[in-house]
Every structure is written in C-alpha cells, then in structure tokens.
Amino acid sequence: MSFSGFIVQLLNGLAGASSLFFVAAGLSLIFGVTRIVNFAHGSFFMVGIYIAYTLVERLGGGLGFWPALLLAAVAVGILGALIEMVLLRRIYKAPELFQLLATFALVLVIKDAVLYLWGPDELLGPRAPGLSGSVEILGRQFPSYDLFLIVVGPVVLGLLWLLLTRTRWGTLVRAATQDREMVSALGVNQAWLFTAVFALGAMLAGLGGALQLPREPATLEMDLNTIGSAFVVVVVGGMGSIPGAYAAALLIAEIKAICIWLGVVEIFGYSISFSKLTLVADFLVMAIVLVWRPWGLFGRPQAPSRYVGMQEEPLRKSSRTYVIAAAVLGLVLAAMPLFTAGSPYTTVLMIDLLIAALFAASLHFIMGPAGMHSFGHAAYFGLGAYGAALLVRSSGMPMELALVLAPLVAAAGAFIYGWFAVRLSGVYLAMLTLAFAQITWAITYQWDSFTGGSNGLTGVWPSGWLSDKRMYYWLTLVLVIAAVLWLRRVLFSPFGYTLRAGRDSALRADAIGIDVKRMQWTAFIIAGAAAGLAGSLYAFSKGSISPESLSVGKSVDGLVMVLLGGIQTLAGPVVGAVTFTWLHDTVARNTDYWRAMLGAIILLLVLLFPQGVAGFAKQLFDRLRGKISEAETKKVKA
C-alpha cells in the first residue's frame, strides 16, 4: 500500500468515472424529461463499442480512429431516435413499469442483433493513435489514454452544462424536467423534444462505449453490467441531475479504486479483502445515500405526473364461474403427471412453472395491492433456496422441516430490508431493493466456506419418498396452491384493505389512523416468506443452488412475469409466470436467437395488451358480459 500506488489508483478511478459518467448522464437526461427508466441504455453503450470497432477497421486505425469514435456515437444516437419514435412514443402514457418492460424487451432484441452481426467472440480494438504509450507518475507507468479520459469527462460535463443553460432547447429540457405537461400546454412540440432528448442520451451512451474500445474488449455482457452501474450513479447523484451524475460517478469510482489499493488488510486478527468489495461497493454507497437522502445527492423530490395511467378498480371476490374454472384447472394440474407419464421433461417443466407462479404472485403482492415496486425480489427467493440447502447440508435437518423453516429465513431478510425500503417510494424504493439484493448476491458469491461461493451448493435432494418427480410435482402443486390462496385471502382481509388504502392515498389513510409504513413493512415480510417458499422448492427440485438465484436477472424475470400477466388482476402474475416461463423454454429450444424472438413477443404483447394478458382477458370478459346483460335488458323491455 504505497503512496505512489494510491495516487495511481485514484487516477484509475478518475478515468473510470469519466466512462461511467457518459452512460449515467444520458440515462439521467432521458429519465428527467420522459420519466422512462430506460433499461436498454446499457445496450446503447454496448452497440457504441461494437460500431466503433467496425468503423475503426474500415477507416483505419490512424487518422480515421477519432472520427470513427464520433461517428459511432452519432449512429447510436440515430438508433435511439428511431427506437423512441417507433416504440416508446406509443407508451408514454402507460404506467412506468410497462415502459420498463418494453425497454427490457429491447435489451433482448439488441443483444441478439449484436450477436448476429458481430458474433459471440470478444473484439479488442487497436490502441488510440498518439496515446498508445504511458507516462511515468511517481515511478509508476500510467496509460496516456486514461489521462485523456480523465480530461474528456469534465469537458463533456461543461458542454452539457452550456447546452442546457445557454440555449433555448436546453431551457425547454429543464422546463420539461420540472413539469413536462405544462411545457406541452405552452405549445412546445413535446414529441420532438422527447425524441431529441432520447437521441442525445443514446449518443452519450454510445460515446461512452466507443471510448472504451482501446481499454477493454467488446463483449455481449457489457449491456447489463453497464446498466446496473449507471442506475446506481443516477440514483446516487439524483434523478435528472447531470452534475449529480458526474459527482456520483467520481465518488463510486474512487471508492472502488481505494478498495483495490487497500487489498487484503488485517484488522484485529481478521483478514478483510477490500478488493472483493468492488463487486458491491457501488450498491453499498447507493443504499447508504438513499437511506440518508432519499432523493440523491443533487436530486429533489420528483414532481407528480398528471398521466396517472389506467384507473385501478377495486378488487372483487371471485364469481361462482371463476371458482368453478379454478377448481377444474386444479384437477387438470393434479392429473397432469398421469397424462404425461411418457414425457418426464414435461413434469420437470410443470414444476418450474408452478415455482415461477408462486414467485411472481409474491412479487405482485407488494407491487399491485401495496403499490411498492421492487427490483430486488430475487433476494428473498435466493435466501429461501440457500436457507433450505444449508439447513439440510450443514445440520442434517430433514428435508420436510427445512421446507418449513426456509421461508422464515427469507422472511427475516425481508424484515430487515423492508424496514429501510418502506421509507422510500417510486423509483427510489425500487433501486434500494435492488441494492439490498446485490449486496446479498455479493455476500453469497464470495463466501466460499459457507455458501460455496460462485460454485454454489450441490447434493440438495428431497427425501426418498419424493425421489419420483411425480411425487415432488404433487407436493409442489399443493404448496403453491396453498401459498397463492393464502396471499389472496390476506388481500381480502382487513389488512389487505388497509394496504390498498395506503397505496391509493397515503395521506387519507394516515388521517384515519392507519400506520401505512407498518402495513407496508408487514407486506414485505409476507411477500418475502412466499418467495422464500418458492426458492426452497426450487432448490430441492434442482438438487443444487447457485448465486444466479439472487441475481438481477432473476428479479427482472419476476418483474416481466407480473407485468406480462397484468398487475391489476390477482390472476395476472400466475398467467404471466406461466406465459413467460413457457415462452422462454419453448423459444430457447427452437432457435439460437431466442432472446430476440422472446423480446419481440414481449414487445408485441406490451403494445397490444398494455393491461397484461390476464387484464385483457378480464376486460374482454367484462365487455361480453355487459353486452349480454344489455341484450337481456332490451328483451325484457320489449
């Protein structure tokens, strides 16, 4: 831990901060004006580096290198403008979460498009002409190109500041950030303003990717890795604040650099590896900032939008027809293994569908009736899975008892995380849940002696009487149906009514004596226990568990399931889970470009059924029933 090493690491942090700032600035700009949480922004970063690689090859690595980087950024900006005009312009008035679902589908489509055009191999670009060497700083060599990046960051920040504060267009952008509906009422062409902002944000992300060409190879994993860090920077700095994004990028990059410099440190006889903290340092910073200052370092409370989306109808108890249909479906599911005795894979797939349905139902419990958006629900699924595996492996506990206690482990995690999360709302609450999930994932991923680290835990099999997959299917069916019915029963209890009252109007609920935060905290614990049960069933069905069960991808899958089915119906998460899991399995087995096909299907469903599959079916059924009632009324009058 020399002083020269410390200085070099700080400089590395500054170079990394500039690269991260480009992506975060574009994301912050887009969210500030359009209110879209653009999950595909990391894809623009990835496309930028791939296009830059191709242009540098075509134009040459000499004089053509720098124009190639700029042209790559412009190309990504044009791509962003096209996406905004063709897709996003149609869903601006939809609920924010449906916009998130559409941008997630774009991630899948863009990833497979890049795979088709450039292939699966890593692509390493040439050194930057004139900056391919290094300079000596305190006896250590430091890349000249990284010094260039350190300078570029503040220059771009200054140019953005001039654009937003010294031009009429910038004035309109800042006005739209404060109140976009009022800007439209004053006669400003809101559609073209949104397109210009989206194009600029995409161009910044593309520039950030293009500038990474001499530093790191282009890979297909850059999109999700980048968007996670960019979300953190934007939230820490304050949604919509460009200076906040730069300050947050500096803060996080320097903390990571210091962790690398510290390495392994002995504290009171214990060895602590600070370098491993780099996996989770940004999410730790975000969690601390959001608990201390919910709007970020430079942010301010978000102004409410006048676009409230679809009106939520009160939940009504099931009709006789619905109950009969559900009972028939239950009997069909119970008999399914008998009909598919010759296809063991079908039984395995049905177990996966049931587990996905319970996971989605638990997430819907806090998203729909409680109105709390969670981006980190996989934490409770993973805690339940690891709880079951560790109880069986470490203590020799019977599988049946572990299946009962594992959901309590997940509920304990929800008890702790929920206490902090319910103090926030909207995107900030969602990002705090993501931070907690990532912290849990990092601990699981690195605790080799306890959780098995990146390899996970194996040999987690059910008891002998459940070794037949059909028996395990029936056990899963009984537990999933019981858990879903329990969640449904809770929603029609006095607790469920108070929970929805707090969602619809926290001020009115508080005025009549309802402790809204306490109700939401309890909802977090209930949902965490249900997700933990799904996780424990998953662990025993697969015989193993890995850190992937706590990853961001698992949480995103849950969001997609809920939104695909419809957040405004109780059957929505179950329908969405079955639809998404079945589509994922079917498409992945029939084409190498399954992500693009799955993304296209999701986009089609979002555009055609913005209320979700189950929501559309319910709307259609209500419309038909209304026509029948109207026809019968006319007959009586006649």
Side-chain angles (χ1 to χ4, degrees):
M1 292 191 295
S2 64
F3 177 73
S4 61
F6 176 70
I7 297 299
V8 168
Q9 284 301 331
L10 289 182
L11 291 175
N12 279 326
L14 288 173
S18 292
S19 304
L20 189 55
F21 165 68
F22 293 131
V23 188
L27 183 63
S28 184
L29 194 64
I30 289 172
F31 177 82
V33 175
T34 68
R35 291 294 185 267
I36 285 185
V37 181
N38 182 23
F39 211 88
H41 205 67
S43 300
F44 295 145
F45 176 88
M46 178 180 69
V47 171
I49 191 171
Y50 274 99
I51 293 179
Y53 177 85
T54 299
L55 290 176
V56 167
E57 275 196 334
R58 298 289 174 85
L59 299 178
L63 295 177
F65 180 87
W66 299 108
L69 300 190
L70 295 177
L71 288 173
V74 172
V76 175
I78 294 173
L79 174 65
L82 291 174
I83 289 175
E84 193 276 339
M85 289 188 290
V86 174
L87 173 64
L88 298 181
R89 189 175 289 185
R90 303 172 185 270
I91 58 174
Y92 276 132
K93 295 184 181 181
E96 289 180 356
L97 286 175
F98 285 98
Q99 299 166 356
L100 177 70
L101 179 59
T103 58
F104 168 73
L106 281 174
V107 171
L108 300 178
V109 173
I110 293 173
K111 184 185 284 288
D112 267 6
V114 171
L115 175 63
Y116 175 78
L117 293 172
W118 283 280
D121 297 330
E122 295 183 352
L123 303 177
L124 183 61
R127 296 287 184 181
L131 297 174
S132 58
S134 60
V135 297
E136 184 173 326
I137 299 176
L138 298 178
R140 292 175 178 264
Q141 297 299 316
F142 189 79
S144 302
Y145 187 76
D146 283 8
L147 288 176
F148 166 74
L149 289 180
I150 292 174
V151 174
V152 166
V155 169
V156 172
L157 174 62
L159 292 175
L160 284 175
W161 181 81
L162 290 174
L163 177 66
L164 295 175
T165 59
R166 294 292 185 267
T167 65
R168 181 177 182 275
W169 184 83
T171 302
L172 293 177
V173 169
R174 287 185 289 115
T177 302
Q178 298 299 318
D179 194 331
R180 62 178 185 174
E181 290 83 17
M182 184 59 69
V183 170
S184 179
L186 292 175
V188 176
N189 191 326
Q190 191 182 67
W192 287 111
L193 179 64
F194 283 12
T195 302
V197 168
F198 204 91
L200 177 60
M203 187 172 68
L204 287 171
L207 178 61
L211 288 172
Q212 290 302 299
L213 186 63
R215 298 187 78 213
E216 60 179 305
T219 69
L220 293 172
E221 304 303 319
M222 298 181 80
D223 52 355
L224 292 181
N225 293 337
T226 303
I227 193 60
S229 300
F231 272 140
V232 171
V233 169
V234 170
V235 171
V236 170
M239 299 293 263
S241 172
I242 303 299
Y246 186 73
L250 279 179
L251 175 65
I252 292 171
E254 294 298 357
I255 288 176
K256 284 187 173 184
I258 291 173
C259 286
I260 294 173
W261 174 70
L262 288 173
V264 179
V265 179
E266 292 281 340
I267 300 178
F268 301 112
Y270 293 95
S271 295
I272 299 177
S273 177
F274 282 92
S275 56
K276 289 184 176 181
L277 284 177
T278 55
L279 284 176
V280 73
D282 44 359
F283 291 97
L284 279 171
V285 171
M286 182 170 71
I288 293 170
V289 168
L290 287 181
V291 171
W292 165 61
R293 185 178 171 82
W295 314 114
L297 297 176
F298 289 75
R300 62 183 65 182
Q302 181 179 327
S305 173
R306 295 179 178 84
Y307 292 147
V308 295
M310 188 180 301
Q311 185 77 23
E312 290 240 11
E313 296 182 3
L315 295 177
R316 294 182 175 87
K317 293 189 176 182
S318 305
S319 64
R320 182 182 179 85
T321 305
Y322 184 90
V323 173
I324 293 174
V328 171
L329 177 61
L331 292 174
V332 171
L333 290 175
M336 185 68 71
L338 303 178
F339 300 143
T340 60
S343 176
Y345 177 75
T346 302
T347 304
V348 174
L349 178 60
M350 290 300 298
I351 292 173
D352 290 343
L353 292 175
L354 290 171
I355 293 171
L358 178 55
F359 177 57
S362 66
L363 177 57
H364 174 267
F365 184 83
I366 56 175
M367 284 183 60
M372 296 182 291
H373 304 154
S374 174
F375 286 2
H377 203 63
Y380 316 120
F381 182 90
L383 285 173
Y386 270 96
L390 291 169
L391 287 172
V392 170
R393 282 173 52 96
S394 302
S395 64
M397 184 179 293
M399 171 260 183
E400 294 81 0
L401 183 57
L403 205 57
V404 174
L405 295 180
L408 300 181
V409 176
F415 177 86
I416 298 171
Y417 295 162
W419 188 86
F420 294 98
V422 297
R423 282 155 173 73
L424 305 179
S425 61
V427 175
Y428 296 97
L429 182 149
M431 295 308 297
L432 184 59
T433 59
L434 174 63
F436 286 140
Q438 281 299 101
I439 292 169
T440 307
W441 171 83
I443 293 172
T444 305
Y445 187 82
Q446 298 183 74
W447 199 349
D448 295 327
S449 60
F450 187 61
T451 64
S454 58
N455 295 321
L457 299 172
T458 58
V460 189
W461 297 109
S463 299
W465 65 280
L466 293 170
S467 57
D468 186 346
K469 276 296 181 183
R470 292 180 300 175
M471 295 298 295
Y472 192 80
Y473 168 81
W474 281 317
L475 173 67
T476 303
L477 177 64
V478 170
L479 292 178
V480 167
I481 289 177
V484 170
L485 290 178
W486 174 59
L487 291 174
R488 186 183 181 91
R489 178 69 186 87
V490 170
L491 290 178
F492 286 102
S493 68
F495 171 78
Y497 289 117
T498 57
L499 196 61
R500 280 176 276 153
R503 176 201 65 187
D504 295 336
S505 179
L507 291 176
R508 291 182 181 179
D510 185 65
I512 61 175
I514 297 175
D515 190 340
V516 175
K517 298 304 180 185
R518 185 177 179 182
M519 294 297 104
Q520 292 177 335
W521 188 18
T522 305
F524 249 94
I525 297 170
I526 293 172
L533 176 59
S536 58
L537 288 169
Y538 177 83
F540 288 119
S541 72
K542 302 301 180 185
S544 63
I545 190 66
S546 71
E548 292 300 316
S549 62
L550 299 106
S551 65
V552 175
K554 185 67 178 179
S555 295
V556 172
D557 286 348
L559 279 170
V560 173
M561 293 173 192
V562 172
L563 298 176
L564 198 57
I567 198 171
Q568 296 173 333
T569 60
L570 294 182
V574 176
V575 173
V578 173
T579 303
F580 177 77
T581 307
W582 178 79
L583 280 174
H584 189 286
D585 178 79
T586 304
V587 173
R589 285 190 289 112
N590 288 284
T591 176
D592 292 334
Y593 300 101
W594 60 270
R595 295 182 192 86
M597 186 173 291
L598 181 62
I601 293 172
I602 293 174
L603 281 175
L604 187 64
L605 291 173
V606 168
L607 293 175
L608 294 179
F609 313 124
Q611 66 274 55
V613 176
F616 173 76
K618 178 180 180 297
Q619 188 180 63
L620 187 62
F621 178 77
D622 291 342
R623 195 174 294 173
L624 290 174
R625 188 170 58 182
K627 288 182 178 180
I628 292 172
S629 300
E630 186 178 341
E632 290 177 350
T633 304
K634 288 181 179 179
K635 286 182 180 180
V636 172
K637 289 181 178 180

